[in-house]
Amino acid sequence: MHYSILDTIGNTPMVEIRRLNPNPAVRILAKLEYVNPGGSIKDRPALAMIEAGEQSGELTSEKTVIEATSGNTGIGLAMICAVKGYRVMLAMSDAVSLERRKILEARGAEIFLTPGHLGTDGAIEEVYRLVREDPDRYFMTDQYNNPANWQAHYQGTAGEIIEQTGGKISAFVATMGTTGTVMGCARRFREYDPDIRIIGVEPYLGHKLQGLKNLKEAYRPEIFEKKWLDEKINIDDEEAFEMTRRLAREEGLFVGMSSGAAMVIAARQAAEMTEGTIVAIFADSGERYLSTPLFLVKKKAEIHLFNTLTRSKMPFDPIQKGRVSMYTCGPTANKFIHLGECRRFVFSDLLYRYLRYRDLDVNHVMNITDMDDKTIQGSESAGQSLVEYTRYYIDRFMADLEALNIVPADHFPRASEHVDDMVRVATGLYDKGFAYEKLRSLYFSIGSFSEYGQLSGIDIDKIKLGATVDLDEYEKNNPRDFTLLKRARLSELKRGIYVKTQWGNVRPSWHIQCAAISMKHLGKTYDIHTSTRELVFPHHENERAIAKALTGKPLARYWVHCEQVHAGQNGTRAQKQGLPTLEDLRNMGYTPRDVRFWLITGHYRKPLEYGPKRLDQAQNAIRRIDACIKGLQQVDQAGNDAASTEEIDQIAYDIRQGLINAMDDDLNMPRAMAAIFRKIRRINALVSEKRLTREQADKFLNTFEDIDQVLGFFDFTPKTLPPEIEALIRERNQARARKDFARADEIRQQLQQAGVEIKDEKIGDS
């Protein structure tokens, strides 16, 4: 029996973490602070600060308790003030979870919200202003400066941990917000046993972990003293979020995101220890985060893509949780792919890679058109069988994909292998009244399909005959209708390029090929159809009409199109004749890696203007990246002024998070590359100043290898120079040392002619 609910604050239980502990020789104990009556560890300092105000006489019944909070401290204060009869006013960012606001309002707290982009700092500024202007009206608990905050943990939390563990504790892990928990516990543990390792967990700059602070990005709590910590470790948002989910699924602990962050670090520490006991603070419960994306059942990706069908950016939500079905319009096997087609395939590769990077399983299908007017006529002109003729171009296409470092699709179905599927689709359309036969050819009646034109936005009445619609020798009921099955010509009949149907000997059109193949491999409705914008009408419009008319379901939920590459007006003969092939570009001195970089780093929804100057710029950018990688590979040891682990970790985090933030926003590669190059400049400075250890250089290399899973244009092969080049470099360094700059410049020109760019340090630099 307790006098009031306030008497139940503290004495929270500890449980052992078993399934998520990577090292059974080390115990991980979680102190469950959500068992406090207000639902979080903040009940402890909230009560301590109120009681300290009462004892000092600063808090009277006429005053309103006021505090800036991200939620949990405010909830504790609201509960305590409700019991004690004080009014309470709380300032908080409008970015905090809805649940926290509702809990506060239910307990009678008055809330005023401050702009979300200002975080808790905005709330602090408002509270300080109000107290300055009317000090007699308010009692400010001021958790960021109030010693009662850390004293609550010194007297309560830490003592309980010592008692519950029998004094056998090797390491203590707590996340950092106001820092009261870690400051109070550290002081008590230091007195009890100086060998207990104290670890504070801090989010990176720009984090999304509610209730935590990066001490650089916000007002620093003045109760924080770094000397009490053995180590301060930064935690990645997604690691913390995923661990929080796993704690619920695998340990039955439904906790908040700060608990997940503490558990990540506790598990890391356990993996490095041979024995001992780690205690981690689980600060609050998961119910307070249900309105956030933390516990969404679907995978963690929060990608937005521009959907051509809706003409807007939409959150990407796959049909199946964690799985993506994706179709790409492949090549026609009658020629080498040119630069514009390269963009189509590089773009689909970027999308595929990023979906995989975001932990989604992707089933990617890319068709190959090996039976249409172009391939049939080409093979006939070449005097080859259709199979022999198309095989050559298919092999070349596969070689170009490999050269461009494009991950092969999971399936490359050929049109010639799916003729029966196409006939079944055509028969279904005929039986449903969407298709009609005319002189042994089968046509789709666009007048029978009310949604025709929705994808492309085309006005049916304004379709230009002969330009966007096939006007062949076959008659139609409406010249705007399109062909499903073409009556075979005599030459095709002679060569056996046809299929026998109820309407006669026919062969499938291009439009029905893609519709039938994609449905065969991905089902009636799949997630993403991707290609080039120039194919939206009539090809994709017709594909969509075929599938929707047949099944009543949308063929694809997201239609994602990249823009075209335009040929320049001036320049080489290849340009004037059209866009060059990859082989043409090789002959001009550009590598497939240069081409990939140029195609991938522009925004996919903006057209690219082809020209050697633009590819030259891509080459220069690649060199900058290569120079950074080479510099990192050659790092030996740092000088006397090595960069801090905190700075290195933040740079690595910014590189990854910069890519993710940009790519989540409709694959915004220009923004992603800007973020990457900003950090490359900083890394280059650290390398040239000899401020990196080998371990730190490897961390950056690992980070670049990680993001290259998406980008696919980094080269991590260690570079070795021919002996004669090395000799020239040594001679030039000697010339510079004796200030013979004329000879040094002469050698530089020789090196540049050999394709070697060098970067000088100032004379006298270490």
Side-chain angles (χ1 to χ4, degrees):
M1 178 70 69
H2 294 282
Y3 177 73
S4 81
I5 194 172
L6 304 187
D7 296 332
T8 65
I9 293 174
N11 296 307
T12 55
M14 283 204 298
V15 299
E16 185 166 356
I17 301 297
R18 295 182 178 275
R19 296 182 65 188
L20 293 177
N21 183 352
N23 184 357
V26 175
R27 294 182 80 200
I28 299 178
L29 302 176
K31 189 152 177 64
L32 306 183
E33 288 296 303
Y34 62 76
V35 177
N36 280 300
S40 85
I41 195 168
K42 296 293 189 174
D43 290 0
R44 297 174 185 264
L47 179 60
M49 290 187 294
I50 293 293
E51 289 181 341
E54 291 173 328
Q55 291 167 10
S56 69
E58 294 177 70
L59 175 57
T60 63
S61 59
E62 294 79 23
K63 287 188 176 181
T64 296
V65 175
I66 190 169
E67 180 60 278
T69 175
S70 60
N72 282 340
T73 302
I75 292 170
L77 286 171
M79 176 184 69
I80 292 155
C81 289
V83 173
K84 289 178 172 283
Y86 298 118
R87 293 185 299 275
V88 62
M89 177 184 287
L90 301 166
M92 58 200 314
S93 160
D94 64 12
V96 302
S97 69
L98 202 56
E99 289 79 16
R100 295 186 184 206
R101 295 190 218 172
K102 289 182 177 179
I103 294 169
L104 288 166
E105 289 168 345
R107 284 202 163 106
E110 181 183 347
I111 301 173
F112 66 96
L113 299 175
T114 55
H117 71 279
L118 297 176
T120 307
D121 281 0
I124 291 172
E125 290 164 1
E126 280 300 297
V127 166
Y128 283 9
R129 179 186 63 79
L130 288 171
V131 173
R132 279 197 313 272
E133 293 175 357
D134 199 350
D136 294 332
R137 180 180 176 186
Y138 298 108
F139 168 71
M140 179 172 61
T141 49
D142 195 11
Q143 59 179 321
Y144 304 96
N145 298 296
N146 192 333
N149 184 341
W150 65 261
Q151 287 167 2
H153 301 291
Y154 175 89
Q155 295 163 1
T157 314
E160 291 171 24
I161 290 172
I162 292 170
E163 182 180 348
Q164 289 168 319
T165 60
K168 296 178 180 178
I169 172 174
S170 310
F172 173 75
V173 179
T175 52
M176 294 168 56
T178 64
T179 72
T181 304
V182 72
M183 289 294 97
C185 289
R187 284 173 164 88
R188 181 68 181 274
F189 291 146
R190 284 280 182 270
E191 293 174 1
Y192 175 75
D193 181 358
D195 291 333
I196 296 173
R197 187 167 179 76
I198 312 298
I199 301 164
V201 182
E202 178 188 48
Y204 286 103
L205 291 166
H207 67 93
K208 299 176 183 175
L209 292 166
Q210 288 192 20
L212 301 189
K213 276 180 178 286
N214 180 288
L215 299 185
K216 287 183 179 178
E217 72 181 345
Y219 291 119
R220 190 184 184 99
E222 295 193 7
I223 60 172
F224 176 74
E225 295 181 60
K226 189 176 181 180
K227 68 179 182 180
W228 294 108
L229 295 180
D230 289 295
E231 190 174 7
K232 179 160 63 71
I233 301 177
N234 291 98
I235 181 69
D236 183 278
D237 295 1
E238 289 298 343
E239 280 189 280
F241 294 157
E242 183 57 23
M243 180 60 82
T244 307
R245 299 179 191 113
R246 291 187 66 192
L247 282 166
R249 292 195 305 265
E250 300 176 46
E251 299 283 350
L253 297 172
F254 193 52
V255 292
M257 51 183 75
S258 65
S259 305
M263 182 61 211
V264 170
I265 303 306
R268 282 190 205 165
Q269 296 296 313
E272 296 173 1
M273 294 166 57
T274 55
E275 60 180 1
T277 299
I278 301 171
V279 174
I281 295 292
F282 283 14
D284 62 4
S285 65
E287 287 87 354
R288 299 180 180 194
Y289 303 90
L290 289 174
S291 65
T292 74
L294 179 60
F295 292 110
L296 289 181
V297 175
K298 61 185 179 182
K299 287 278 187 171
K300 62 190 177 187
E302 298 174 6
I303 304 164
H304 287 71
L305 296 173
F306 187 88
N307 191 344
T308 303
L309 182 62
T310 62
R311 292 162 186 75
S312 64
K313 273 196 283 191
M314 297 173 57
F316 177 63
D317 186 15
I319 298 166
Q320 267 188 290
K321 181 182 69 174
R323 298 181 63 84
V324 180
S325 45
M326 174 175 162
Y327 181 81
T328 297
C329 276
T332 300
N334 73 313
K335 57 181 177 55
F336 305 148
I337 58 172
H338 59 63
L339 193 56
E341 292 164 318
C342 288
R343 186 183 199 191
R344 183 201 315 174
F345 304 124
V346 165
F347 162 65
S348 68
D349 181 61
L350 176 68
L351 177 55
Y352 171 84
R353 283 169 173 265
Y354 190 62
L355 294 170
R356 290 288 301 270
Y357 185 76
R358 297 292 266 144
D359 291 337
L360 295 165
D361 296 326
V362 186
N363 181 18
H364 185 199
V365 175
M366 182 185 293
N367 75 300
I368 294 178
T369 302
D370 65 342
M371 187 180 67
D372 73 336
D373 288 339
K374 294 174 182 177
T375 56
I376 292 170
Q377 291 166 12
S379 64
E380 189 173 0
S381 298
Q384 296 176 307
S385 70
L386 188 59
V387 171
E388 183 183 11
Y389 176 80
T390 56
R391 185 189 297 123
Y392 172 72
Y393 289 105
I394 292 170
D395 289 345
R396 281 298 301 264
F397 171 68
M398 294 299 182
D400 283 347
L401 291 189
E402 184 177 359
L404 289 166
N405 198 22
I406 290 172
V407 179
D410 298 285
H411 308 281
F412 287 100
R414 302 184 187 187
S416 60
E417 300 167 344
H418 291 75
V419 173
D420 290 342
D421 298 305
M422 298 166 198
V423 172
R424 276 193 289 273
V425 169
T427 303
L429 292 170
Y430 181 80
D431 292 343
K432 288 175 176 271
F434 290 103
Y436 61 90
E437 181 264 342
K438 196 83 168 179
L439 299 178
R440 299 186 181 178
S441 287
L442 200 69
Y443 300 98
F444 186 96
S445 172
I446 64 173
S448 66
F449 183 66
S450 61
E451 296 182 24
Y452 195 86
Q454 285 185 2
L455 177 64
S456 61
I458 198 79
D459 184 338
I460 296 176
D461 295 329
K462 294 180 181 179
I463 294 176
K464 190 174 180 181
L465 302 179
T468 55
V469 180
D470 54 323
L471 280 180
D472 49 34
E473 63 270 30
Y474 307 127
E475 294 186 16
K476 308 173 186 175
N477 289 348
N478 181 336
R480 294 175 175 82
D481 294 342
F482 61 88
T483 311
L484 296 170
L485 302 176
K486 283 188 175 185
R487 186 179 68 198
R489 296 180 299 169
L490 281 176
S491 59
E492 294 162 357
L493 195 65
K494 185 177 180 180
R495 299 174 67 198
I497 304 174
Y498 68 91
V499 60
K500 194 171 184 63
T501 68
Q502 60 182 299
W503 304 286
N505 298 320
V506 299
R507 61 175 177 82
S509 73
W510 181 33
H511 310 305
I512 201 171
Q513 288 182 20
C514 282
I517 288 173
S518 63
M519 286 192 290
K520 171 77 171 182
H521 288 271
L522 298 174
K524 294 177 181 178
T525 299
Y526 48 87
D527 290 306
I528 301 173
H529 189 304
T530 182
S531 188
T532 314
R533 179 160 289 280
E534 63 186 330
L535 298 182
V536 173
F537 185 82
H539 183 47
H540 295 157
E541 192 70 70
N542 292 350
E543 263 189 86
R544 179 175 178 270
I546 288 168
K548 186 72 181 288
L550 179 67
T551 69
K553 298 180 179 181
L555 180 63
R557 296 176 69 243
Y558 298 82
W559 294 79
V560 187
H561 293 92
C562 68
E563 271 292 353
Q564 302 177 55
V565 177
H566 298 302
Q569 299 300 312
N570 302 306
T572 67
R573 182 181 176 188
Q575 284 175 269
K576 292 176 181 176
Q577 291 178 340
L579 291 170
T581 65
L582 202 56
E583 189 62 30
D584 292 331
L585 292 167
R586 273 194 179 107
N587 293 334
M588 295 164 62
Y590 301 109
T591 67
R593 185 166 165 243
D594 298 331
V595 175
R596 179 183 177 89
F597 182 90
W598 180 62
L599 292 174
I600 216 172
T601 52
H603 197 291
Y604 79 92
R605 286 197 289 117
K606 292 187 177 179
L608 291 175
E609 192 75 24
Y610 164 69
K613 284 186 179 179
R614 290 172 173 83
L615 282 168
D616 289 344
Q617 291 169 350
Q619 274 190 334
N620 291 333
I622 284 284
R623 286 173 183 159
R624 288 170 61 196
I625 292 171
D626 287 349
C628 179
I629 298 301
K630 182 180 177 182
L632 290 169
Q633 290 172 335
Q634 293 179 343
V635 165
D636 184 13
Q637 60 184 13
N640 295 326
D641 185 24
S644 67
T645 299
E646 183 180 8
E647 180 183 7
I648 301 305
D649 286 348
Q650 184 68 51
I651 293 171
Y653 173 83
D654 288 343
I655 291 170
R656 284 192 305 270
Q657 204 59 41
L659 177 78
I660 289 170
N661 291 343
M663 294 294 285
D664 279 356
D665 183 17
D666 195 28
L667 311 183
N668 192 331
M669 276 298 296
R671 192 170 120 206
M673 292 310 301
I676 290 167
F677 274 114
R678 278 197 299 271
K679 297 308 170 185
I680 282 177
R681 284 195 293 273
R682 179 60 187 146
I683 291 169
N684 286 340
L686 291 170
V687 170
S688 65
E689 294 164 7
K690 296 184 171 24
R691 295 187 60 207
L692 293 182
T693 65
R694 180 66 261 162
E695 183 181 1
Q696 290 171 335
D698 286 338
K699 185 176 186 69
F700 286 143
L701 288 170
N702 291 337
T703 300
F704 286 129
E705 286 176 0
D706 178 66
I707 65 170
D708 198 50
Q709 295 176 71
V710 177
L711 304 175
F713 54 62
F714 279 79
D715 181 5
F716 300 98
T717 308
K719 304 295 186 296
T720 56
L721 295 173
E724 59 273 18
I725 298 296
E726 294 279 10
L728 280 172
I729 293 172
R730 283 195 299 273
E731 183 184 350
R732 185 173 181 277
N733 289 339
Q734 291 166 2
R736 292 183 76 241
R738 64 176 182 266
K739 298 187 178 182
D740 185 356
F741 297 115
R743 177 57 183 154
D745 288 343
E746 186 180 314
I747 296 173
R748 175 193 279 276
Q749 290 176 3
Q750 288 179 257
L751 290 169
Q752 286 178 334
Q753 288 171 2
V756 178
E757 292 287 338
I758 55 176
K759 196 172 179 182
D760 289 326
E761 294 177 344
K762 293 178 181 178
I763 298 295
D765 283 356
S766 58

